[in-house]
Amino acid sequence: MAEDLVLDTAIRDWVLIPLSVVMVLIGVLRYFVSKLMNSSQTPDTKIVKEGQVVVRARNLRVGANFIPSKAFRARKIYYCNEENGLLFVPKGQGQNPQAQMFSDPNMAMDMMKKNLSMIIPQTLTFAWVNFFFSGFVAAKIPFPLTQRFRSMLQNGIDLSTVDVSYVSSRSWYFLNLFGLRGFFSLILGEENAVDDTQRMMQMGGFGFDPSKGLSAEKDNLDITQHDWALPNFEQRAEAVLRKVIS
Amino acid sequence: MAVHSDSASSGKKSSNGPNELLTFNAENMQNNMKIIYYSRTFLSIIGGVVAGILGFTGLKGFVFYLLLMGLTSLGLVAKAGFSTHTYFDSWNRVLLDGFLGGLMSFVLFWTFAYDIVHIF
């Protein structure tokens, strides 16, 4: 029963396009505001040191096959030694970075600012959409959905016989919210694209990273086997030289 | 497309000899992944607009999206000279990376173009 509703052109002019334009503009605005408000925080020396130790251990793991086995073992013991190895963190101390991070006023302020700058525009826009654009059919999505989605997509429209493909403007808002992420990454360039849903997922595991990173790196290093590549280097050199000559 | 001109040419990782020594230059790898992501997003947007204008509905549209992603993968593999192992560390990356993000953009622009052209 796909009766084709004929929708007013005014809806297209005054609902669809303005809503998309507003969301794009708000995204760009948020990007610039976040760049302006980005207070440069002096990083904590302890955390930076731990980060660098993890990086060194990782480099050792990656390049393990290029150094002689005795050298590798010496380095491995230096990192993983139970008493004074760099990567060994007794259980009690591991909690410190997280507690420090929350008690440090600067960092807490920064996290709060980032959270707010994400939530407020979304809330405002949503309220605006609900206030102005409710109670009529806004768009037709090109693919059919089941009846269960009706309450989610058509919440302003109280007729139950209208096809589920005809959605209200609230669902157009959500569609824009998700679909414009890729668009933002194109026009705003690189990682600074407003990828708020990803950042919200990152917020959960933020404070706990340093202590877990150390022990994870230690475990990884413990299980690395040493397989010295030097004996086979001659074959590699031969292959490369062949390619160069031919 | 300017994105493609500097694409896989800068993705050097040391090629593996007969003994499978694999080392990766992380920065180049990241650059390559970014290029895949951009290509996918751009093509999903264009593909969404095309699908909307042509009036695809329902399943046809999704099949079109899958075709588009396959075409993207093919193009990327061809640009990498069919030796993806020198530019990426696994097959899955070049085939499946920006899939879901591209899907959302595709659906948005598909809905947009379809409505503008066919309903109003």
Side-chain angles (χ1 to χ4, degrees):
Chain A
M1 256 241 305
E3 68 273 350
D4 279 345
L5 295 184
V6 173
L7 296 173
D8 196 358
T9 314
I11 298 185
R12 170 188 65 185
D13 291 342
W14 295 99
V15 174
L16 287 194
I17 296 185
L19 194 55
S20 300
V21 165
V22 161
M23 290 189 72
V24 168
L25 288 181
I26 285 188
V28 172
L29 191 71
R30 201 184 344 180
Y31 168 67
F32 283 127
V33 163
S34 75
K35 274 209 342 186
L36 285 178
M37 282 202 331
N38 217 0
S39 57
S40 63
Q41 26 172 324
T42 60
D44 194 14
T45 51
K46 186 160 180 290
I47 295 186
V48 169
K49 261 203 290 190
E50 283 175 2
Q52 296 294 67
V53 164
V54 168
V55 168
R56 277 171 66 190
R58 201 178 308 154
N59 283 341
L60 173 65
R61 190 162 40 98
V62 167
N65 297 332
F66 294 109
I67 50 179
S69 96
K70 211 186 299 185
F72 174 69
R73 253 180 289 137
R75 285 175 174 81
K76 192 164 136 177
I77 292 181
Y78 175 61
Y79 282 113
C80 305
N81 194 12
E82 290 292 309
E83 285 119 36
N84 54 0
L86 288 184
L87 290 182
F88 183 70
V89 176
K91 286 298 176 190
Q93 276 186 14
Q95 300 293 324
N96 266 348
Q98 186 187 23
Q100 240 184 16
M101 209 168 289
F102 282 138
S103 65
D104 190 11
N106 276 342
M107 214 165 301
M109 267 298 292
D110 272 338
M111 284 213 309
M112 219 169 53
K113 264 195 285 189
K114 270 191 229 161
N115 272 338
L116 281 186
S117 82
M118 254 177 270
I119 294 184
I120 283 194
Q122 274 189 21
T123 318
L124 282 180
T125 315
F126 190 54
W128 178 65
V129 165
N130 268 344
F131 180 64
F132 280 111
F133 299 128
S134 60
F136 57 91
V137 170
K140 176 178 197 285
I141 51 180
F143 47 90
L145 289 174
T146 63
Q147 296 296 320
R148 282 189 304 163
F149 286 100
R150 180 183 290 271
S151 64
M152 186 168 72
L153 298 176
Q154 278 191 349
N155 56 359
I157 308 163
D158 293 325
L159 306 170
S160 57
T161 56
V162 173
D163 219 353
V164 189
S165 302
Y166 291 97
V167 299
S168 69
S169 39
R170 195 188 284 189
S171 44
W172 176 245
Y173 168 73
F174 280 119
L175 199 61
N176 265 340
L177 193 65
F178 291 125
L180 284 178
R181 276 191 294 155
F183 185 63
F184 279 139
S185 74
L186 279 185
I187 60 178
L188 296 179
E190 301 188 359
E191 306 304 327
N192 270 333
V194 182
D195 216 353
D196 44 359
T197 45
Q198 264 190 14
R199 252 196 256 164
M200 272 195 278
M201 285 192 272
Q202 265 185 18
M203 276 295 153
F206 188 26
F208 214 64
D209 262 346
S211 64
K212 275 209 302 194
L214 282 188
S215 51
E217 201 55 44
K218 173 172 178 297
D219 291 338
N220 281 341
L221 200 54
D222 271 338
I223 65 178
T224 315
Q225 302 267 14
H226 182 256
D227 183 17
W228 201 17
L230 188 59
N232 295 333
F233 257 34
E234 298 150 336
Q235 290 171 330
R236 269 193 78 186
E238 176 197 346
V240 169
L241 283 177
R242 268 186 211 279
K243 269 203 282 190
V244 166
I245 290 179
S246 68
Chain B
M1 235 179 344
V3 182
H4 266 308
S5 64
D6 58 350
S7 71
S9 59
S10 62
K12 298 175 204 40
K13 87 173 201 346
S14 67
S15 64
N16 45 348
N19 55 347
E20 296 296 317
L21 255 192
L22 296 176
T23 57
F24 298 96
N25 185 348
E27 186 181 308
N28 281 342
M29 176 92 92
Q30 234 179 3
N31 192 25
N32 293 348
M33 304 304 301
K34 223 183 339 175
I35 286 170
I36 296 184
Y37 181 65
Y38 282 164
S39 311
R40 279 247 156 83
T41 312
F42 193 63
L43 276 180
S44 340
I45 292 182
I46 303 276
V49 173
V50 165
I53 293 180
L54 289 181
F56 290 149
T57 58
L59 206 56
K60 266 201 292 189
F62 286 114
V63 165
F64 183 70
Y65 179 67
L66 286 179
L67 266 180
L68 199 67
M69 287 296 115
L71 208 63
T72 316
S73 306
L74 208 62
L76 286 169
V77 165
K79 177 75 182 186
F82 284 107
S83 62
T84 48
H85 59 85
T86 51
Y87 294 111
F88 305 102
D89 57 350
S90 81
W91 280 105
N92 296 336
R93 298 232 191 205
V94 74
L95 289 182
L96 293 181
D97 188 33
F99 199 75
L100 286 183
L103 185 66
M104 296 307 310
S105 303
F106 174 77
V107 166
L108 171 69
F109 282 94
W110 181 21
T111 308
F112 198 46
Y114 183 77
D115 281 347
I116 288 187
V117 171
H118 289 271
I119 304 290
F120 291 112

